[in-house]
Amino acid sequence: MAPIHAHTVLVVAAILFVLGLAGVLTRKNILFMLLSVEIMLNSAGLAFVAAGARWQQPDGQIMYLFILAMAAAEVSVALALVVQIHHQRKSLDIDQLKELKD
């Protein structure tokens, strides 16, 4: 089986990042926005691992572990906020939550 080049993996990571960014910008549901942020974080981790493999250094994998830890913390806090918002407002639509700014 032929090895996968770092350039190919970086292109896949860029495509995933753009898809995640599009999801954050276009979705109105908070849960879908959180999923899109997770896709963006995973694409960044994929890019780190590909770069580390390209230069044969473990730094990319170490950075990916930090990204996973940060994503886990972000998900736990964000889901707690989502549950609290849903409990108070009975909706996860971002347009209905804009009145919270006032």
Side-chain angles (χ1 to χ4, degrees):
M1 192 158 116
I4 299 174
H5 297 290
H7 177 71
T8 306
V9 177
L10 290 176
V11 168
V12 170
I15 291 170
L16 282 174
F17 191 85
V18 169
L19 286 174
L21 184 63
V24 168
L25 295 176
T26 60
R27 294 293 182 166
K28 301 227 184 238
N29 192 325
I30 295 175
L31 288 177
F32 285 115
M33 292 172 75
L34 287 174
L35 285 172
S36 298
V37 169
E38 291 299 318
I39 290 172
M40 291 169 61
L41 286 172
N42 282 327
S43 70
L46 180 62
F48 276 118
V49 170
R54 166 70 175 89
W55 289 298
Q56 298 174 348
Q57 297 290 325
D59 300 344
Q61 294 171 357
I62 293 168
M63 285 303 297
Y64 187 67
L65 289 175
F66 284 125
I67 289 172
L68 282 177
M70 182 186 64
E74 177 253 337
V75 164
S76 63
V77 171
L79 285 179
L81 288 172
V82 165
V83 167
Q84 186 66 26
I85 288 171
H86 182 66
H87 180 64
Q88 289 179 352
R89 301 284 175 172
K90 303 295 185 231
S91 174
L92 294 179
D93 188 12
I94 200 75
D95 288 336
Q96 293 178 359
L97 299 176
K98 287 192 178 183
E99 65 190 34
L100 292 176
K101 290 193 313 188
D102 298 333

